[in-house]
Amino acid sequence: MALLESRQTRDRIKEAVRHLVLLCWTVAVLFPLYWIASMSLKPPSEALQLPPNWLFLPTVYNYLQLFGEPSFVSALGNSILMVSASVLLVLLLGVPGAYVLSRYDVPKKQDVLIWILSSRMLPPIAVVIPFFVIFRTFNLYDTRIGMVFMYLTINISLVVWVMKAFFDGIPVSLEEAAMTDGATRFQAFRKVILPSALPGIISVAIISFIFAWIEMLFSLILTNQRAVTVSMQVFKFIGSRSIEWSMLAAASVIVILPNLLFVVFVNRYLASGLSFGVVLKE
Amino acid sequence: MSYGSENATGTTTSSVGSRLRELWNDYLPVWLSAPMVLVMLLITVFPGVYDLYLSLVHYKQTNPQQIGEFAGLANFAAVFSDPSTWHSIGVTLTFVGGSLALETALGFTLAALVTNVSNDYAREFYRVAFILPMAVAPVSLATIGRIMLNSQVGVIPYVVATYTPFAAPNFLAEFPLATVIAMDTWHWTPFMFIIFYAGLSSVPEQLLEASRVDGAPLWRRYVHIVIPYMKPVIFVAVLIRLIDLFRTFGTVYSLTQGGPGTATQLVSIQIFQTGFKYVNLGQASALAIAYLVGILVICNVVIRYFGFGGVWD
């Protein structure tokens, strides 16, 4: 009896210690996010007060300022347009390719997969130099089409790897059944396999969106004005002295917001997506 | 009767149509994968070959009449005789090694702790909260860092000065590299956490139960059962993170631009500055080629040493 009680006490202490450590990390994770969000909602005169004013009347003043800035609005529009277009395109290219890698006897399949992964090993700075020269030659410098293409280089290997893992997990008998019913192979792929892989497609689309959305190097080198992205625009704010800290905070919140929403809503799929499907069997 | 042939009823146009349909069906895998393969060739072979070409010619904007002239290995010689290259390599290895070690250890510890939390809601809360930093863009991370670490108005120096006996440190000036590593750890430990968390929940309960009955101490349970079982998962997480750490640019560039001085000058930042600030694309490409080879060697050693075994079925 005493033994049992002491074990229960010990378990309870363990659990308490566990929560203590985890709460410390929770604070470390959430505090910076809270800090930047609260700063963006304070009037500039209060934003930098220390000790901070914990109870303040939130104001959208900084956001109004920010959206009154034409360069920021057009950069935001550019990012939304270019990133969405590139995600659509990367799915159109990557999903059928992944299907072939999953279902057909591709010669040297393992090498092909490593080759595809190796495009992720190329540091973006090494990729961007040749494309900088080419873009200059073919008038693609500072264009939206050029940036849409550059985003492909970030995401295509991810899409192929994750989707291959997803297709591997869908039984071949599904297509076989559709084909016995008279569908062609392509119809089976389009009407049976694609819908079953939809959760994977959505998660990989979102992860691709995030990776392109936060990209800065390509924008820094390949854009100037017309195709500037929102990250680059925020970076320009950091560089200039005249910008208010609170406006900078508001701009950063705008950049973080879509990702944050995605992460909260699709966090269940994130693990499988990010780990290239290795821990898919969870 | 397959769908494909039901329209083939004699007229020339529809027989062309059915011919095309046949071609489509017979070579389906080719059509489906051709666009991907073309783009892959364009984004892997083209930059590699073009970088190699640029690294072997003079391409200095300040010297336009020389552009395109064969340079032999002069660009490589120039890059490697420059002590700042070796300095950048040292900075990069410290940054990658330090961040990878911290993120792996912290990510695993947090995942193990959360897995063992008994309350379902608390576990769910930690899981969602802990992955939030991944959503932060490098440029926003730099903003957060600059605002919170600023020696005059930053909250962290303020807390240190007010609640500890130490003076308010100026993190980015006094310990720039350590600060950058710490910020990367904040940013990307979530990645390790979420993968390890998924991996840990796939460790069979019977294995753990058996060792618990044996009365094995906690650390032995992890060292002898959990970690070996999770080896493929750990391997993939470390490999992906390793690759991505070598690619780091935006976070560090928008936080410090490589400074103060060259204290946080990663190789990728040096390539950027050589190519686009000093407009010497020849030397920038030489360094990029050397960097790429270095990364491929390191990644291949990791892959050979730890093996892809268990990763594919």
Side-chain angles (χ1 to χ4, degrees):
Chain A
M1 198 57 200
L3 190 77
L4 194 69
E5 246 170 58
S6 81
R7 173 182 276 180
Q8 264 177 357
T9 330
R10 221 170 52 212
D11 280 352
R12 221 169 270 159
I13 292 172
K14 267 190 197 164
E15 181 85 358
V17 172
R18 214 173 275 145
H19 278 294
L20 198 67
V21 176
L22 291 173
L23 283 173
C24 286
W25 183 252
T26 310
V27 171
V29 163
L30 294 184
F31 185 68
L33 294 174
Y34 161 77
W35 194 253
I36 192 134
S38 71
M39 220 170 139
S40 76
L41 293 171
K42 284 178 186 172
S45 58
E46 274 178 49
L48 296 173
Q49 255 176 39
L50 286 172
N53 201 353
W54 295 104
L55 286 172
F56 61 93
L57 207 62
T59 161
V60 291
Y61 172 79
N62 299 308
Y63 290 93
L64 288 178
Q65 288 284 97
L66 195 60
F67 281 98
E69 192 100 3
S71 59
F72 183 81
V73 176
S74 82
L76 186 62
N78 274 341
S79 276
I80 294 173
L81 196 72
M82 300 188 303
V83 172
S84 313
S86 128
V87 168
L88 273 180
L89 195 58
V90 82
L91 292 178
L92 277 174
L93 293 168
V95 172
Y99 177 73
V100 171
L101 280 167
S102 165
R103 288 297 194 265
Y104 289 90
D105 268 332
V106 178
K108 301 203 168 188
K109 194 183 275 187
Q110 197 131 323
D111 293 338
V112 172
L113 281 167
I114 296 231
W115 170 54
I116 289 170
L117 183 64
S118 77
S119 74
R120 237 187 121 66
M121 293 183 200
L122 289 169
I125 184 72
V127 176
V128 80
I129 294 173
F131 284 115
F132 172 73
V133 179
I134 285 292
F135 277 23
R136 277 286 169 103
T137 317
F138 291 100
N139 284 329
L140 284 166
Y141 176 79
D142 200 18
T143 61
R144 299 198 183 100
I145 293 178
M147 287 301 289
V148 169
F149 174 80
M150 291 312 289
Y151 290 147
L152 286 184
T153 68
I154 311 177
N155 286 324
I156 189 152
S157 64
L158 186 86
V159 171
V160 174
W161 268 64
V162 176
M163 288 318 298
K164 182 194 172 286
F166 257 90
F167 289 132
D168 285 349
I170 299 172
V172 185
S173 55
L174 266 182
E175 287 133 293
E176 283 167 356
M179 280 154 75
T180 342
D181 288 346
T184 63
R185 183 86 196 228
F186 182 67
Q187 283 163 335
F189 167 64
R190 197 161 53 93
K191 294 190 177 145
V192 180
I193 301 303
L194 276 188
S196 329
L198 201 61
I201 295 177
I202 291 171
S203 69
V204 88
I206 285 171
I207 297 165
S208 302
F209 184 96
I210 293 178
F211 277 131
W213 182 256
I214 67 177
E215 152 63 34
M216 198 182 99
L217 175 67
F218 294 155
S219 181
L220 182 65
I221 294 174
L222 298 173
T223 72
N224 182 28
Q225 215 174 2
R226 281 177 295 158
V228 162
T229 62
V230 72
S231 296
M232 194 53 213
Q233 197 56 43
V234 177
F235 179 69
K236 284 181 179 165
F237 282 171
I238 297 182
S240 68
R241 280 251 155 256
S242 60
I243 290 295
E244 297 282 341
W245 287 106
S246 358
M247 208 159 137
L248 188 56
S252 300
V253 169
I254 298 277
V255 177
I256 295 173
L257 211 57
N259 293 351
L260 213 57
L261 294 178
F262 282 150
V263 164
V264 170
F265 288 117
V266 297
N267 71 81
R268 286 192 171 278
Y269 297 116
L270 266 177
S272 52
L274 286 168
S275 58
F276 294 99
V278 171
V279 282
L280 199 65
K281 285 141 211 149
E282 189 208 355
Chain B
M1 261 286 115
S2 76
Y3 289 5
S5 55
E6 70 190 7
N7 286 332
T9 47
T11 66
T12 4
T13 42
S14 73
S15 88
V16 168
S18 75
R19 204 44 230 279
L20 281 177
R21 208 167 292 128
E22 249 171 58
L23 270 176
W24 169 251
N25 282 321
D26 291 351
Y27 294 94
L28 190 64
V30 177
W31 308 134
L32 288 184
S33 58
M36 172 196 77
V37 172
L38 284 179
V39 169
M40 281 305 304
L41 284 172
L42 195 58
I43 67 176
T44 56
V45 177
F46 169 72
V49 173
Y50 208 108
D51 268 332
L52 199 60
Y53 160 74
L54 283 176
S55 72
L56 297 174
V57 300
H58 291 289
Y59 203 120
K60 205 191 246 178
Q61 220 78 325
T62 49
N63 207 349
Q65 64 273 48
Q66 225 188 0
I67 286 181
E69 220 172 86
F70 186 64
L73 295 178
N75 287 326
F76 287 92
V79 163
F80 282 104
S81 62
D82 184 351
S84 88
T85 303
W86 298 102
H87 169 77
S88 306
I89 293 173
V91 169
T92 305
L93 290 177
T94 314
F95 169 75
V96 172
S99 305
L100 190 64
L102 275 174
E103 287 161 21
T104 309
L106 204 54
F108 192 89
T109 311
L110 291 170
L113 288 172
V114 174
T115 308
N116 286 319
V117 164
S118 47
N119 182 305
D120 285 349
Y121 293 107
R123 208 165 50 231
E124 186 71 11
F125 167 76
Y126 288 131
R127 195 169 59 91
V128 175
F130 286 6
I131 62 177
L132 291 182
M134 267 197 303
V136 174
V139 74
S140 309
L141 183 70
T143 310
I144 294 177
R146 287 193 181 217
I147 291 174
M148 293 182 71
L149 296 173
N150 187 293
S151 54
Q152 267 111 51
V153 296
V155 61
I156 294 175
Y158 167 79
V159 168
V160 172
T162 317
Y163 299 101
T164 71
F166 306 105
N170 187 345
F171 289 95
L172 282 167
E174 289 168 58
F175 337 95
L177 193 53
T179 306
V180 167
I181 292 175
M183 290 187 65
D184 197 81
T185 304
W186 181 83
H187 198 190
W188 287 109
T189 295
F191 174 85
M192 294 307 221
F193 164 78
I194 190 74
I195 293 183
F196 290 154
Y197 181 80
L200 276 170
S201 50
S202 70
V203 177
E205 194 53 40
Q206 306 98 291
L207 273 181
L208 295 175
E209 208 47 58
S211 116
R212 237 175 256 139
V213 171
D214 287 349
L218 191 67
W219 66 269
R220 288 196 61 164
R221 201 183 302 157
Y222 275 95
V223 170
H224 293 297
I225 297 172
V226 178
I227 292 178
Y229 187 86
M230 282 182 56
K231 202 181 134 197
V233 174
I234 295 174
F235 169 74
V236 170
V238 168
L239 182 67
I240 296 176
R241 196 64 209 116
L242 182 72
I243 294 170
D244 280 352
L245 275 164
F246 278 118
R247 295 158 51 94
T248 303
F249 176 87
T251 311
V252 179
Y253 186 76
S254 44
L255 193 63
T256 68
Q257 266 150 295
T262 55
T264 54
Q265 178 157 305
L266 300 172
V267 175
S268 52
I269 292 178
Q270 197 193 344
I271 299 173
F272 169 76
Q273 287 182 334
T274 311
F276 298 96
K277 197 168 156 201
Y278 305 115
V279 216
N280 191 337
L281 286 180
Q283 276 184 28
S285 301
L287 188 53
I289 291 279
Y291 190 44
L292 177 59
V293 170
I295 294 174
L296 287 177
V297 167
I298 291 175
C299 289
N300 270 303
V301 167
V302 171
I303 291 173
R304 288 282 140 73
Y305 188 75
F306 294 100
F308 256 114
V311 175
W312 282 312
D313 323 299

